[in-house]
Amino acid sequence: SYVLTQPPSVSVAPGQTARIICGGKNIGSKSVHWYQQKPGQAPVLVVYDDSDRPSGIPERFSGSNSGNTATLTISRVEAGDEADYYCQVWDSSTDHLVFGGGTKLTVL
Amino acid sequence: QVQLQESGPGLVKPSETLSLTCTVSGGSMSSDYWSWIRQPPGKGLEWIGYFYYSGSINYNPSLKSRVTISLKTSKNQFSLQLSSVTAADTAVYYCARGRLGVVGPHFDFWGQGTVVTVSS
């Protein structure tokens, strides 16, 4: 089955740029989606199809995907961005959905 | 605005069957991937399965032998049944709408989640 790998944690100072990576074999051939989850809340979609943003999501959130790595970039990080972030893809060989293990973003 | 709401028992005994229902409002169920996702305490998200409006159903291989997802379009509901539960099935269970994108679906609307504890 397809596996997505994320670092357990990323730390960044307010105002700086956070980059959260999601690794997978030839992930560049798939569409990657990203979710933000704050404690006690349901996940929220922040980027879909590699780099599109749902309405209401700030432009500070962006995504890219190439080769074996997809990246969620959060510019001008704010305290309110502190959360867990998950990547997700569709494994077309099995029609299964796969989540990465999640990355905890800490704003210092 | 689509809204989803999970309902069902918060406590299930070991070896019994967990049953949850998701009620959808503000939109039609005649498209999309209607999905269940769970999150054990302190852990990440785990996809359980989906019912695609065309009738296609797919389950996480690790749960396939115990899971049934069904749709009730007339009631705008879909359900989850997980049999022979153990403590490892204790989790927050979410229902979500999977909207088809460029390659496969992404989850654009989620329920608030319901806590299910497996204990005698």
Side-chain angles (χ1 to χ4, degrees):
Chain A
S1 60
Y2 193 78
V3 176
L4 294 174
T5 302
Q6 297 183 239
S9 63
V10 168
S11 298
V12 64
Q16 299 303 303
T17 297
R19 292 179 180 84
I20 298 172
I21 64 171
C22 177
K25 185 176 181 180
N26 199 25
I27 196 173
S29 67
K30 303 181 183 300
S31 284
V32 180
H33 319 296
W34 292 92
Y35 303 88
Q36 176 193 69
Q37 186 182 33
K38 296 182 179 180
Q41 298 182 19
V44 172
L45 181 70
V46 293
V47 167
Y48 66 98
D49 288 343
D50 296 341
S51 58
D52 289 336
R53 275 186 315 276
S55 68
I57 300 301
E59 291 183 7
R60 302 186 297 105
F61 289 81
S62 62
S64 62
N65 183 19
S66 179
N68 294 316
T69 304
T71 304
L72 173 69
T73 301
I74 309 172
S75 304
R76 302 180 299 283
V77 166
E78 303 172 356
D81 297 331
E82 189 163 280
D84 294 325
Y85 291 84
Y86 295 90
C87 56
Q88 175 248 312
V89 301
W90 168 266
D91 181 0
S92 58
S93 66
T94 59
D95 287 350
H96 293 163
L97 292 145
V98 182
F99 285 101
T103 297
K104 180 176 181 58
L105 175 67
T106 299
V107 181
L108 301 170
Chain B
Q1 178 88 345
V2 175
Q3 292 185 316
L4 299 95
Q5 178 68 58
E6 305 89 352
S7 60
L11 181 64
V12 182
K13 290 182 168 55
S15 80
E16 295 190 343
T17 296
L18 177 161
S19 295
L20 297 175
T21 297
C22 181
T23 301
V24 180
S25 59
S28 170
M29 294 190 70
S30 58
S31 62
D32 301 310
Y33 294 77
W34 300 97
S35 305
W36 288 96
I37 296 152
R38 72 179 184 178
Q39 185 171 36
K43 296 188 177 181
L45 302 171
E46 179 180 33
W47 169 69
I48 297 172
Y50 64 72
F51 191 116
Y52 188 43
Y53 82 102
S54 65
S56 169
I57 303 174
N58 217 330
Y59 301 130
N60 187 319
S62 67
L63 299 170
K64 185 176 182 178
S65 63
R66 300 192 291 130
V67 173
T68 302
I69 294 176
S70 57
L71 204 67
K72 300 178 183 177
T73 52
S74 60
K75 294 186 177 181
N76 262 31
Q77 294 178 331
F78 63 107
S79 63
L80 168 70
Q81 290 193 306
L82 181 65
S83 64
S84 305
V85 298
T86 69
D89 295 310
T90 293
V92 178
Y93 285 76
Y94 296 99
C95 58
R97 184 182 83 168
R99 174 128 289 197
L100 187 61
V102 173
V103 179
H106 53 271
F107 299 109
D108 58 351
F109 290 100
W110 295 66
Q112 65 185 26
T114 188
V115 177
V116 178
T117 302
V118 178
S119 175
S120 55

